[in-house]
Amino acid sequence: MANHKSSEKRIRQAAARRLRNRYYAKTARNAVRKLRKATDKAAAAEDYKKVAAMLDKLARKGVISKNKAANLKSKLAKGVNKIAA
């Protein structure tokens, strides 16, 4: 167990950060799943903008890597473009 006040605080901070990151990552995964199931092109295009912004924000904050965000956005864009108008 931690013996210093600073290390105890670090443990608390890490736990809070881990919970927050888990929430944001799960929310993003659900948004990606919803977008992949979309059948309406116009709605999917609108949702894609929001999901792409969400992924960029997570990459900036370090919740996911920037390459993972880029790969997800690329595949989602292909999927949205494949939807028949």
Side-chain angles (χ1 to χ4, degrees):
M1 195 59 211
N3 291 323
H4 298 284
K5 270 192 167 186
S6 60
S7 57
E8 289 172 352
K9 182 177 179 180
R10 275 282 162 216
I11 290 168
R12 287 195 310 270
Q13 287 177 327
R17 206 171 287 122
R18 187 167 43 254
L19 277 176
R20 195 176 314 123
N21 288 345
R22 268 179 46 190
Y23 169 77
Y24 288 132
K26 183 68 172 179
T27 304
R29 279 198 304 275
N30 287 338
V32 167
R33 282 191 197 109
K34 182 182 171 208
L35 183 57
R36 284 186 177 140
K37 289 182 181 177
T39 54
D40 179 36
K41 189 167 180 106
E46 276 300 309
D47 287 343
Y48 173 76
K49 289 179 188 176
K50 293 176 185 171
V51 172
M54 184 187 300
L55 291 172
D56 285 335
K57 186 174 183 180
L58 291 179
R60 261 198 323 272
K61 290 180 177 282
V63 178
I64 60 174
S65 75
K66 66 176 186 164
N67 285 349
K68 181 175 177 71
N71 289 338
L72 281 171
K73 287 184 349 185
S74 172
K75 287 187 178 158
L76 288 172
K78 280 184 181 179
V80 169
N81 289 333
K82 277 186 186 176
I83 297 174

